[in-house]
Amino acid sequence: MPSSPAPAPPPKSGLLRREALGFWFLGLGTLGLVRAWMRATRHGGFETDTVSLLWLAGSAVLVVIGAARIWRALRNAHR
């Protein structure tokens, strides 16, 4: 019985696969920033209420977390 060839090494995982959660946070945060901007400028000027400020702050936090995760993954990939 002939021996089988050695299995091929697994393919390198791409950035999208490694940091899907980071991209998810970045996308949700960006959509949240757009939504907060739309809510704050709904009546012409820039008027915020408590809900708009909470939406804006939460979205900004999501963008920062997502960008930090992606940046860290890129930095680790170059090492």
Side-chain angles (χ1 to χ4, degrees):
M1 188 169 175
S3 65
S4 60
K12 292 181 85 174
S13 62
L15 180 64
L16 184 60
R17 181 175 292 208
R18 282 192 324 265
E19 270 312 312
L21 186 61
F23 283 109
W24 179 261
F25 284 165
L26 189 63
L28 282 179
T30 303
L31 289 174
L33 288 174
V34 170
R35 175 67 177 112
W37 180 261
M38 288 171 45
R39 183 177 172 99
T41 59
R42 173 179 11 184
H43 300 295
F46 189 81
E47 300 173 9
T48 59
D49 56 350
T50 305
V51 174
S52 296
L53 289 176
L54 286 173
W55 199 293
L56 184 65
S59 299
V61 168
L62 276 176
V63 166
V64 168
I65 290 172
R69 289 184 58 95
I70 293 167
W71 179 71
R72 186 175 51 183
L74 283 171
R75 192 181 63 188
N76 288 340
H78 290 297
R79 288 184 181 181

